[in-house]
Amino acid sequence: MMDTPRGNRAVGEGIVLPAEFDDGVVWAAWLYYVDQLTQSEIAKMLGVSRATIVNYLQEARERGLVTIRLNTEVGSRTGTARRLKDKFGLEGALVIPALDNAALVQRLGEAGARLLADMVQPGDTIGVAWGRTVLAVADSISLPEPVEGLTVVQVSGSSIANPDFAPEFCTSLMSRRIHARCINLLAPALLSTPALKQALLAEQVLVKQFELIHSSNIILFGVGDIGPETLIRSANITGQEDIDAYQAGGAVGVLICRFIDAEGRPVRGDLDNRMVGIELNELIQVPRRLCVAGGASKLTAIRATLNGGYATHLVTDIATAELLLQ
């Protein structure tokens, strides 16, 4: 029989309480809410099952030992997120608070990384696009515990422009962070002629890579506007006149180098026949589609993305979210 330390009391089967706690419920609540131990860690410490700890924590709330309050800002953002889900038919939305705009991309990336980590399950194939926000997600993500059988696949062709947030870099960084198999797309983003594109995509190695892209069950992407400061213009993937032509045709946003109008409908042009990567009709077939985007300059493009049903999950900032709901 185990000796009970002086000043401590044995309660129940194998539970030895420190003298300062009245009962196991109080101790479990302290360990969980103050010391921030996990339920599994507390169960091991008290020598009971995790289900018992769940019951203890519920009892602590019922007895008034623990009260949980959300501050008004958190409550407001939660309500805004729920309204976004209802308006645009989203499965999930995460709205971050308003802080310094200079750090918006990084903060969106951190929030997107948290949501993506919650979405990931064993055996998932995660398609990854490119851009500053996608890179911020890839750089911030970490999984609370290892997840088996993950694959990260690049969904758009490569480019020598802007190597800091190029597709192949975003994909490789993400795969390293979550210890997943990495598949880069072995083709340039834009080819010189449609015939060359067709010939290249007929190669068996690319056929197999596109089969993997099409098997993705999660995809991470950002949204671009097509104004003068937009990423699609500064990335030097194509000439300004090409983008001007899409804008003249009604394009207001860009999703993985594909152009859409205000209602989210594809706007097609010369680049589509030479662009290598996932297409919009393929994007929308992916079961879980995480869009991470925010900022006033992208408002029209984000609304178009949601109107088109391209996202199942959205991460944005409170100011953009409120404008989307107007």
Side-chain angles (χ1 to χ4, degrees):
M1 181 174 178
M2 182 177 65
D3 292 334
T4 301
R6 185 182 301 275
N8 291 2
R9 300 182 311 285
V11 179
E13 296 183 3
I15 302 178
V16 180
L17 289 177
E20 62 269 25
F21 293 104
D22 294 332
D23 58 31
V25 172
V26 177
W27 192 22
W30 181 277
L31 292 172
Y32 187 72
Y33 291 105
V34 179
D35 290 343
Q36 296 186 337
L37 271 63
T38 67
Q39 293 175 4
S40 297
E41 289 169 338
I42 299 169
K44 183 177 181 181
M45 181 178 293
L46 270 63
V48 298
S49 68
R50 183 175 176 276
T52 298
I53 299 302
V54 172
N55 292 334
Y56 279 1
L57 296 177
Q58 177 63 31
E59 183 179 341
R61 291 191 291 271
E62 292 171 352
R63 286 164 53 180
L65 301 174
V66 173
T67 59
I68 299 173
R69 295 188 304 167
L70 294 176
N71 65 34
T72 55
E73 182 188 6
V74 172
S76 174
R77 287 190 285 114
T78 301
T80 299
R82 294 178 67 89
R83 290 195 297 275
L84 282 175
K85 288 174 60 178
D86 293 340
K87 180 173 182 177
F88 295 105
L90 298 166
E91 295 178 21
L94 177 58
V95 178
I96 65 173
L99 293 174
D100 182 8
N101 280 338
L104 180 59
V105 169
Q106 183 59 38
R107 290 170 47 241
L108 286 170
E110 292 168 354
R114 292 198 304 273
L115 182 54
L116 180 58
D118 289 341
M119 295 168 65
V120 168
Q121 308 214 358
D124 278 343
T125 297
I126 307 167
V128 176
W130 64 285
R132 295 187 182 94
T133 309
V134 170
L135 178 63
V137 174
D139 194 37
S140 300
I141 192 169
S142 63
L143 301 180
E145 56 187 29
V147 178
E148 297 295 326
L150 296 180
T151 298
V152 174
V153 59
Q154 180 181 329
V155 299
S156 61
S158 301
S159 171
I160 61 172
N162 296 107
D164 290 344
F165 44 82
E168 59 274 19
F169 182 58
C170 293
T171 305
S172 59
L173 179 59
M174 170 79 74
S175 65
R176 288 200 304 271
R177 295 281 298 177
I178 63 175
H179 305 289
R181 174 191 181 203
C182 179
I183 303 295
N184 289 119
L185 183 54
L186 303 176
L190 187 66
L191 294 167
S192 56
T193 67
L196 180 57
K197 173 185 172 179
Q198 293 303 315
L200 186 61
L201 294 187
E203 290 292 330
Q204 279 303 302
V205 63
L206 287 177
V207 169
K208 292 184 180 298
Q209 286 186 321
F210 269 90
E211 287 175 354
L212 192 57
I213 289 173
H214 297 154
S215 72
S216 298
N217 49 11
I218 301 178
I219 189 166
L220 166 68
F221 65 97
V223 175
D225 67 289
I226 54 175
E229 303 300 323
T230 183
L231 184 59
I232 192 68
R233 292 185 184 274
S234 63
N236 297 317
I237 293 175
T238 186
Q240 300 298 318
E241 63 279 1
D242 291 322
I243 302 172
D244 291 341
Y246 279 94
Q247 191 170 24
V252 300
V254 188
L255 301 182
I256 321 179
C257 295
R258 308 290 177 176
F259 294 81
I260 57 174
D261 68 11
E263 297 304 317
R265 294 174 299 228
V267 177
R268 296 194 61 84
D270 176 65
L271 295 183
D272 292 272
N273 298 321
R274 299 188 286 125
M275 192 73 68
V276 175
I278 194 169
E279 301 199 24
L280 294 174
N281 63 326
E282 298 167 335
L283 167 63
I284 211 164
Q285 298 301 315
V286 180
R288 289 168 288 167
R289 308 181 295 276
L290 174 56
C291 174
V292 183
S297 64
K298 294 188 177 183
L299 176 64
T300 301
I302 296 170
R303 182 181 284 118
T305 300
L306 299 178
N307 287 340
Y310 296 107
T312 60
H313 296 74
L314 174 69
V315 175
T316 193
D317 61 285
I318 185 66
T320 303
E322 290 174 345
L323 290 172
L324 288 168
L325 290 169
Q326 290 179 6

